[in-house]
Amino acid sequence: MNKKVYELINDQINKELYSGYLYLSFADYYEAEGLKGFANWYLIQAQEERDHALIFRRYLLDNDCPVVLGAIAQPDMTFTDYLGPLEAALEHEKYVTSLIDNIMAAAVKAKDFRTQQFLNWFIDEQLEEEANASEMVSNMKLFGGDARSLYELDREYLGRVYTQASPLAGA
Ligand code: MG
């Protein structure tokens, strides 16, 4: 594998684990605020991010490339209102999209067609992640000011159930 492509993918394992760590901190915030549905949504999101890390890990191993795990940064955001984590999540997902795009650009430059094919799943996934994060911001802006509507939103997010992001994450 091209050195640059390899380094970016290995780094992405760390970034995905950090995303999971970040969303776990969001879940903790909502749990403390008594919004168990929002806490549930971000707890599941954290599990999905771990899946993403495992998919990149599996890809490196299948290509006989060593996985080098680094330290995961501390999530240190503090929030003053319910909208805060939702806006931070949208911003973070846009950042992750830029990371995936960077890996794709390196794979294109290296004529690494296998990695391009592999990354297509993540390109699609990022569209979904951004759309979900954006909808959560809109919902909070529209309905978050009213206690009954906020309660119903929280119930809705309580209904989210974890499903493995891809069979690749299980190996
Ligand atoms: Mg991810």
Side-chain angles (χ1 to χ4, degrees):
M1 190 183 294
N2 171 272
K3 188 168 178 286
K4 181 75 182 166
V5 173
Y6 162 70
E7 285 172 356
L8 288 173
I9 291 177
N10 188 72
D11 213 38
Q12 193 63 29
I13 296 174
N14 187 278
K15 306 275 195 206
E16 299 291 345
L17 290 173
Y18 172 76
S19 296
Y21 219 36
L22 181 68
Y23 292 145
L24 193 59
S25 79
F26 291 7
D28 293 347
Y29 165 78
Y30 285 118
E31 180 88 24
E33 294 292 327
L35 289 169
K36 294 219 173 217
F38 283 86
N40 174 63
W41 204 94
Y42 279 110
L43 187 61
I44 289 170
Q45 194 59 28
Q47 288 174 282
E48 271 204 6
E49 299 305 342
R50 182 175 177 275
D51 282 353
H52 296 166
L54 292 179
I55 294 168
F56 282 111
R57 170 186 177 271
R58 172 49 53 200
Y59 185 70
L60 286 188
L61 294 178
D62 285 349
N63 282 278
D64 283 329
C65 296
V67 171
V68 182
L69 297 175
I72 303 168
Q74 180 182 20
D76 57 359
M77 290 184 192
T78 52
F79 302 108
T80 52
D81 60 26
Y82 303 149
L83 187 61
L86 307 177
E87 288 184 324
L90 177 57
E91 199 177 316
H92 184 71
E93 287 304 329
K94 287 179 178 173
Y95 165 66
V96 173
T97 297
S98 78
L99 295 175
I100 301 291
D101 287 350
N102 274 344
I103 309 174
M104 183 60 108
V108 168
K109 195 173 172 211
K111 292 191 167 65
D112 179 348
F113 301 110
R114 178 188 290 171
T115 298
Q116 290 173 45
Q117 179 83 358
F118 166 74
L119 288 173
N120 281 330
W121 185 89
F122 283 96
I123 303 262
D124 292 340
E125 176 71 8
Q126 281 312 118
L127 174 62
E128 199 185 312
E129 299 284 36
E130 284 186 39
N132 285 338
S134 180
E135 189 184 292
M136 289 180 84
V137 169
S138 302
N139 282 344
M140 183 59 80
K141 283 182 177 169
L142 283 168
F143 312 118
D146 174 71
R148 181 185 287 263
S149 304
L150 180 63
Y151 175 80
E152 283 179 14
L153 257 190
D154 194 59
R155 291 293 108 174
E156 183 185 326
Y157 294 136
L158 194 59
R160 186 182 184 190
V161 182
Y162 168 73
T163 49
Q164 197 175 74
S166 152
L168 284 170

